[in-house]
Structures are given as structure tokens and as C-alpha cells.
Amino acid sequence: MARAPWWRDAVVYEIYVRSFADCDGDGVGDLPGIRERLRHLADLGVDAIWLTPFYPSPQADHGYDVADYRGVEPLFGTLTDFDELLRHAHELGLRMIIDIVPNHTSSQHAWFRLALVARPGSRERARYYFRPGRGRSGDRPPNNWTSHFGGPAWTRVPDGEWYLHLFDAGQPDLDWTNPEVGDEFESVLRFWLDRGVDGFRVDVANGLAKAEGLPDTRRGTPLPFTDQPAVHDVYRRWRRVLDSYAGDRMAVAEAWSDDAELRARYTRPDELHQAFNFHFQVADWSAAAFRRVIEDGLTTTSMIGAAPTWVLSSHDQPRHVSRYGGGEVGLARARAATLLMLALPGSGYLYQGEELGLPQVDVAPEHRQDPTWARSGSTDAGRDGSRVPIPWSGSAAPYGFGPGSAATWLPQPDDWAPLTVAAQTGLAGSTLEYYRAALALRHEHLAGLDEPLEWLPSPPGTLAFGRGRLVCTTNFTARPRRVTVEGRPLISSGAPVEGSTAVVRLPPTTTVWWVRR
Ligand code: GLC
């Protein structure tokens, strides 16, 4: 029987390039820094890494504003550094996927610069959404859309036209009805596939197509800039490109769609391979909420034979330790949630630093850099708190982030010394050693296992399910719970389990894996 493609059950580690490791000592992470630290990831036991955008960019949205899709931002290194990183990752047995940002370019992209100096109605403007304004003097935006970062989604240029940007003004939306755009992106995909990347994470995958005529949004009706049917033509084309390369190249969609059926469409057999399941990421800490999102995720993907995905933290959301309440309780819940996630069918996406148990940081207003902060009129603190550079070693900032003592681009807290990779390595009970053990056990017991999940009876406030010989039990409550398990405990996210072989006391806020007898 053919082996299932690697991505169906891979654990993929997200690297936020600015914040992972700094080689040249400027306080900003870079590609050579990642290369130097790849050992950490191989030792951790992940299967693949995902790099956030590292392309030339004015960094208005930290790289999600791409000025040139075929290069490397000098702040992060060179194309040779990229090739070296990829080669080294492959040598260590790690796959590498990269972010592709097709919804918008940077306002510094050559196409947009040409569009700005071209006249209304020109071919140069037709790659973006330039429109006249409303009102007698055209001084009102063409429609009522707002930016995801706050404020209007339109900015006016000196000749009076407006251009659309669903995010920052430095991120103009491309017009995917223009065939030049599709051709350009096919060529960009090939550029990186030819260099050997294993796949892509598709940024704002559900936003590329807009409803014809760019109608106003209206309460109670579907948004005119997400999940439009035409977006799927793009991914059918991309799938043909990916399939034309050897080696199971893949793509995972970032598509925040509430409707399960709409989400499933992105992973139909002739489209992308996976889509993130953000409902799992934002589920409340309760047995009922988790069971609901797990069942929903499994049903959505099984309808079309796709592989489910699970994620708890990312560069866009508060870290799960803090989302679950912070402190000791938050950490206990986060560890329990991770072990539960790693037992589920499909693939899991980890975010850098979660293996250290890092909490969300309350970045002081004067240091905030996320465009959300300014665009929301300083009402939304934005996402900087999950993007603080990784502490590697030492007792004070920058905790070995770079070779010198340069301040990191976002300040690190003073109390991170016990959380560094060095401090946790070899330390019994540390979150890092716990992740390593969990990932090794996942490989041993679940790799390549095509078994669906089977729910098992368990008391209120707990969940239990089996997969193959593995049983996963989670106690979401703050009190011990008795569960019946015919098995031997393999790993606990918290205290060890007590009890006879069949009926055991599951410690509070803990997940335990068992191997069935
Ligand atoms: C995605 C990215 C986010 C970025 C946005 C605009 O949601 O994950 O970080 O700000 O797209 O590109």
C-alpha cells in the first residue's frame, strides 16, 4: 500500500522569522539564525517548519506586505541563506513550507508603484482595485468596507481615485479577475517549488475574489470579500502546479470561515490540501467546547476525504497559556490541550515558543508595532504580545536571541530566565522536555495511523477517545475525576496518575495518554 503523504499527519512548527533567532546581532531574527537553531527543532521532534514571509518588504505588517515575491528581505538574509536553510532542514529530515501572500502586495511592490504614477483606467491600475469615490467630489470611499486592522479599507491617491486594502494601507489588494495576476503567482509558486520548498501556507486564502461590483457589506448577508466562488478557480490551478512536482508538495489555507461547508470547499480533492481549523484555536477550556470543535473539524474534513488540522497558538492570536487564564492554571491547561491535540487524527501546527510555555506578553504601548494598534486608534493592542523574540539562554534579555546584547525588536520580559531553551533542557517536568516526550510518543504510536477517532465513555468534564492502541483522556475540571482505562499510562501533561489498572484518578486539568493492553 502506498504510504500516506507526509503532510496528512505532520507536526508543523511555525517560525515567525523576525522573532526566532538572530544571527547578525541587530535584534531582529533572520534566516541564518534559524539555520543555526534547526537542531532545536530536530531534537524537539517536529516534522516540518513553516516560515512566515521573509521576502523584501517595508515591514508595514512585518512581511505580510511583500514588495518582491522572488527575493529575501536584506534584514533576514539573502537568497543563498534561504537555499542553505532549506538544504540544512532537509538534511535534518525537516520539511519546509513557506508563506505566500496572494491577496495583496506591498505598496512598495513594482506593480503598485507603477499603478500610482499611471492614469485612472490604465493597465497598471487594473492589477489592483482602483475606483472613483462616492459623492459629488468623489471624496467618500467607493464602498463601506473596513480594514481588518481598523479604519476604512480604502485610501485616496492624489488624482482622486481610491484603492482597496482589506488590511493596512501599505497592503493594496490585487484584482484576481485580471489574468496577469494569476499568471504571476503561478510563476512565483514555481520559483520556490523549483528551489525545493515542500509547500505553502496561503495567507488570507478566502479573500482573493471579491463580489462583482464591490457591493457594500450589509448586516445579515454574506461578506462580499470572503469565500466568493471564483476563489476556488485559483486553487484548482495551484493544485495542478503542485501536483506537477515530485515529492508530495502541499498547501494549507488560512481561511477564517465560520461556515464549515464553506471552509471544506478549500480542501476539495482538486484544491488545497489542508485548511486551518481556527475554531479549535479559539475554543473555550471545557470538555463540551472541545468535543464540539473536534467533531466539527472531523466531520468537515471527512465529508471530502481531507486531512484535519489543529492549532492552538499562532502569530495572530494570544498564546494559549494566557488564553486559558495564564499563570499556573493557564500553563496546566495549555499543556493538557497540546497533548490532546497531538492525539487527534490529522496534523498539528505548533507556534514557536509554545514548547517553552511562553505566555502572551503585555507589550508597553510605546513599543507596540502591529499596525492594528495605530489603525484602531489605539484601542486594540494588536498581536505583538505573541511575537516577542524567543529566549534561548542566559539570565537576562536578550536571552541569547542574538550574538551580542542588542535589544530585541520587541522587548522581552525580565522574568524569562527560567523559560529559556537552555534552562529547560534536561530539566525533568519542564514544558520543553514534556513537548519532546509527547512528540516522540506521537511518532511511536500514531505516525501513519489511519484509524479514526473513537469516543469512549467518560465522566462529565472529561473527554476520552481511542485511536489504535492509544487512549487519550483529558480532565478539564479542577478536581480529580475517576476514569476507567484498560491500559498503561504513557505520558501525563501534569501530575502522574494514581489508581488501580482499570479505574484511575485523573488529576485535575490534565491529559493522560495510555496504551491499551
Ligand atoms: C494573515 C496573517 C496576518 C496578516 C494578514 C494580512 O491573517 O496571518 O499576520 O496580518 O494575513 O496579510
Side-chain angles (χ1 to χ4, degrees), residues 61 64 101 104 149 167 171 201 203-204 254 315-316 383 387:
D61 186 18
Y64 284 96
V101 188
H104 43 264
F149 294 160
F167 294 87
Q171 295 168 295
R201 178 264 190 190
D203 189 64
V204 196
E254 185 208 22
H315 68 287
D316 286 329
R383 303 160 292 178
R387 300 174 174 181

Side-chain angles (χ1 to χ4, degrees), residues 57-353:
S57 157
Q59 305 288 306
D61 186 18
H62 296 328
Y64 284 96
D65 48 324
V66 179
D68 170 7
Y69 289 86
R70 295 180 186 78
V72 171
E73 163 62 35
L75 195 58
F76 301 143
T78 63
L79 208 44
T80 309
D81 293 329
F82 176 87
D83 290 337
E84 275 296 293
L85 170 60
L86 182 59
R87 195 175 57 78
H88 199 53
H90 283 166
E91 273 170 16
L92 289 172
L94 297 166
R95 307 270 181 165
M96 192 162 109
I97 69 174
I98 61 174
D99 231 303
I100 181 100
V101 188
N103 180 67
H104 43 264
T105 68
S106 158
S107 53
Q108 295 301 313
H109 188 282
W111 274 4
F112 195 75
R113 301 217 316 240
L114 287 172
L116 281 184
V117 294
R119 42 178 184 78
S122 60
R123 179 179 163 206
E124 287 79 7
R125 289 215 171 166
R127 294 169 179 142
Y128 296 90
Y129 287 100
F130 278 86
R131 294 287 183 274
R134 290 201 278 204
R136 200 170 308 156
S137 55
D139 58 357
R140 285 186 13 245
N143 67 23
N144 69 352
W145 298 2
T146 52
S147 152
H148 294 297
F149 294 160
W154 295 91
T155 290
R156 200 170 193 195
V157 299
D159 61 34
E161 281 210 314
W162 298 73
Y163 70 88
L164 174 69
H165 53 87
L166 288 179
F167 294 87
D168 191 68
Q171 295 168 295
D173 279 52
L174 286 163
D175 183 348
W176 275 83
T177 64
N178 183 334
E180 266 191 85
V181 174
D183 291 347
E184 169 64 1
F185 272 86
E186 171 164 344
S187 149
V188 168
L189 293 182
R190 290 184 184 283
F191 178 86
W192 296 103
L193 289 166
D194 289 340
R195 300 195 100 80
V197 301
D198 296 287
F200 300 93
R201 178 264 190 190
V202 185
D203 189 64
V204 196
N206 58 352
L208 277 46
K210 277 80 178 169
E212 214 178 314
L214 310 182
D216 279 349
T217 55
R218 277 214 231 112
R219 200 191 290 249
T221 61
L223 291 173
F225 45 79
T226 48
D227 301 319
Q228 300 297 312
V231 79
H232 297 285
D233 297 336
V234 174
Y235 302 128
R236 287 195 191 97
R237 178 171 181 184
W238 287 22
R239 181 61 177 253
R240 289 195 296 275
V241 173
L242 289 160
D243 283 350
S244 72
Y245 283 78
D248 290 330
R249 314 293 178 106
M250 58 81 76
V252 53
E254 185 208 22
W256 286 87
S257 311
D258 275 338
D259 182 308
E261 211 264 305
L262 287 179
R263 241 179 326 148
R265 290 187 187 173
Y266 293 88
T267 53
R268 287 180 288 201
D270 60 346
E271 296 195 37
L272 303 179
H273 303 74
Q274 295 182 325
F276 285 107
N277 177 352
F278 295 114
H279 293 84
F280 184 73
Q281 187 174 15
V282 299
D284 288 339
W285 178 252
S286 83
F290 269 66
R291 177 145 182 171
R292 206 168 33 244
V293 288
I294 293 169
E295 281 179 348
D296 176 61
L298 294 175
T299 321
T300 309
T301 46
S302 67
M303 291 193 293
I304 43 169
T309 68
W310 313 99
V311 62
L312 288 164
S313 278
S314 73
H315 68 287
D316 286 329
Q317 290 290 317
R319 286 184 174 280
H320 62 295
V321 167
S322 304
R323 199 155 37 74
Y324 295 143
E328 269 181 41
V329 171
L331 182 60
R333 290 175 175 176
R335 287 171 56 135
T338 299
L339 196 58
L340 183 160
M341 172 176 107
L342 292 175
L344 294 171
S347 61
Y349 283 78
L350 305 180
Y351 176 50
Q352 66 179 38

